[in-house]
Amino acid sequence: MGFISRGFKGRREPAADSSRLPPGQYLVRDFPVLSAGPTPHTPLAEWSFTITGAVDADKTWSWEEFRKLPSETVTKDIHCVTKWTKLDTSWTGVAVSTLLEGIDTSADYVVAFSDGGYTTNLPLEDLVDGKAWVAYEFDGRPLEPEHGGPARLLVPHLYFWKSAKWVRGLSLRNEDEPGFWESNGYHLYGDPWREQRYWGD
Ligand SMILES: Nc1nc2c(c(=O)[nH]1)N[C@H]1C(S)=C(S)[C@@H](COP(=O)(O)O)O[C@H]1N2
Ligand SMILES: [Mo]
């Protein structure tokens, strides 16, 4: 006697779904805010998104133009290097493949850059084929500034520091160049399933 059956708790806790939890991570239900600096508040009239670097010609969209691009809504699990994982987050945005359409490049790498100076590096192949978006809605509402609004990169298969908030563009590179956290000890690639948190992992 004295046991409390888990069945009495009603709805099954997502904690039960450990197959979706990468090694060393724990589940959260809230949405923590992690920013290395103050939250920028760029007016939409001044906002633009640019593909630059190793390209024949830069490509730039205003906010209005960007919002007319075909969008997708996706549901993804996100994993922060500080060990929280949030399941089933819903985002709407433009697939990076859509932004790269018609761009001719020999580059294999990308540095995403943001208002406030944040950068993060990724292999180009991790941004295409339905693996990454520039998201402007979370849970069906405009993305809040604290979480990267008006728009942030979303690369859910890598640790969440790769999902640059307040993203303003992608610079294509022929070599892999560490971004902000990668220059400060975080792993160059950052696969949560291989627990690539820091240099040497
Ligand atoms: N521009 C910018 N993007 C950023 C960061 C940042 O400090 N600045 N922090 C990164 C880290 S470490 C994480 S875990 C997530 C946090 O996103 P959230 O605040 O929406 O949870 O944003 C990532 N993108
Ligand atoms: Mo993070």
Side-chain angles (χ1 to χ4, degrees):
M1 297 304 109
F3 290 105
I4 296 169
S5 160
R6 295 197 59 133
F8 291 157
K9 292 180 97 179
R11 210 154 56 87
R12 185 170 138 150
E13 294 291 314
D17 200 353
S18 59
S19 67
R20 290 165 69 182
L21 201 57
Q25 297 291 111
Y26 64 88
L27 288 169
V28 295
R29 285 182 169 282
D30 57 344
F31 194 173
V33 170
L34 277 106
S35 305
T39 296
H41 292 272
T42 304
L44 294 180
E46 286 163 33
W47 188 94
S48 60
F49 192 90
T50 301
I51 311 272
T52 186
V55 292
D56 288 342
D58 287 4
K59 213 168 154 186
T60 298
W61 296 264
S62 66
W63 178 254
E64 223 175 285
E65 291 165 339
F66 193 83
R67 289 299 317 268
K68 285 184 189 143
L69 293 170
S71 68
E72 298 174 4
T73 297
V74 296
T75 300
K76 298 287 172 186
D77 301 342
I78 52 179
H79 315 288
C80 174
V81 71
T82 64
K83 303 201 167 176
W84 56 265
T85 282
K86 187 171 173 58
L87 301 180
D88 295 323
T89 60
S90 166
W91 304 84
T92 300
V94 181
V96 174
S97 315
T98 301
L99 301 170
L100 292 172
E101 267 168 29
I103 295 227
D104 200 18
T105 183
S106 57
D108 287 326
Y109 299 96
V110 171
V111 173
F113 55 92
S114 297
D115 279 326
Y118 187 86
T119 56
T120 189
N121 58 298
L122 307 115
L124 182 56
E125 63 176 18
D126 285 83
L127 292 178
V128 296
D129 301 330
K131 294 199 279 292
W133 297 265
V134 175
Y136 48 75
E137 279 180 15
F138 175 78
D139 250 353
R141 281 181 225 103
L143 183 59
E144 288 179 19
E146 286 68 28
H147 285 298
R152 79 180 295 165
L153 193 61
L154 175 67
V155 194
H157 71 287
L158 299 177
Y159 280 124
F160 208 36
W161 88 78
K162 299 286 181 181
S163 294
K165 303 200 278 191
W166 316 299
V167 70
R168 292 291 301 274
L170 304 174
S171 180
L172 277 60
R173 307 289 174 101
N174 292 309
E175 265 143 61
D176 200 10
E177 294 168 43
F180 175 77
W181 281 120
E182 295 85 1
S183 301
N184 286 286
Y186 282 17
H187 197 275
L188 267 186
Y189 183 63
D191 179 353
W193 295 98
R194 287 186 279 167
E195 222 175 339
Q196 294 173 333
R197 297 179 196 274
Y198 309 111
W199 293 349
D201 284 350

